[in-house]
Amino acid sequence: MLPNFLIPEAERRADGTGEALDLGQSKSKVVKLTLGITRIIEQESLDISIWGSADNVNWGTKPVVTFPQKFYCGTYSILLDLLDNSEIQYIRAQWKVGRWGRGESKPLFDFYLFAEETSVQTLSKSA
């Protein structure tokens, strides 16, 4: 159900997948996703993708939306428009972390991803 965290804030050092979130009776099927990166070290990257499923089993072969690759702390939002994918009942997030350069080879991030229902008017205003 919305609003809810797709990824609760925590320290992460490896790739991962969040828990599935049931969209419930969401009528609009337009979801605002807010990514907050609260800690990051230099020379690393974060990739976040959102996957959709009708049955919480089959997640398809490609994500329904992805954030542009991130390198810095900050708060970033995108809209997930599921109006043309009305069969999607569940969403979940996957993340990939990368590190290059000198020093510690293991990435270090603190981040969260929050999902909330938004209106169709918000979608049209952002276009």
Side-chain angles (χ1 to χ4, degrees):
M1 298 291 288
L2 298 175
N4 211 333
F5 283 94
L6 279 173
I7 306 171
E9 185 168 9
E11 179 181 293
R12 293 180 177 83
R13 295 177 88 53
D15 298 348
T17 301
E19 297 284 324
L21 179 66
D22 186 346
L23 294 174
Q25 299 302 315
S26 175
K27 300 250 188 299
S28 74
K29 295 287 187 167
V30 178
V31 179
K32 179 181 177 184
L33 300 167
T34 302
L35 169 64
I37 303 172
T38 56
R39 182 169 59 159
I40 189 171
I41 54 179
E42 64 183 5
Q43 299 178 322
E44 63 181 14
S45 62
L46 175 64
D47 293 287
I48 303 278
S49 58
I50 309 302
W51 296 74
S53 173
D55 58 7
N56 200 15
V57 175
N58 178 11
W59 292 94
T61 58
K62 63 181 186 174
V64 291
V65 71
T66 59
F67 279 85
Q69 191 173 54
K70 300 300 178 196
F71 305 95
Y72 303 103
C73 288
T75 305
Y76 310 93
S77 293
I78 60 172
L79 293 175
L80 170 58
D81 180 4
L82 296 173
L83 294 171
D84 292 333
N85 295 307
S86 59
E87 73 281 358
I88 293 178
Q89 184 62 37
Y90 301 89
I91 57 174
R92 73 177 183 192
Q94 290 184 334
W95 62 91
K96 293 185 185 283
V97 296
R99 177 104 172 100
W100 64 90
R102 299 181 293 166
E104 172 69 39
S105 62
K106 209 170 192 184
L108 173 65
F109 287 93
D110 282 7
F111 66 91
Y112 64 87
L113 182 60
F114 190 74
E116 59 189 318
E117 188 173 354
T118 191
S119 68
V120 175
Q121 290 113 345
T122 302
L123 182 62
S124 62
K125 287 180 186 176
S126 67

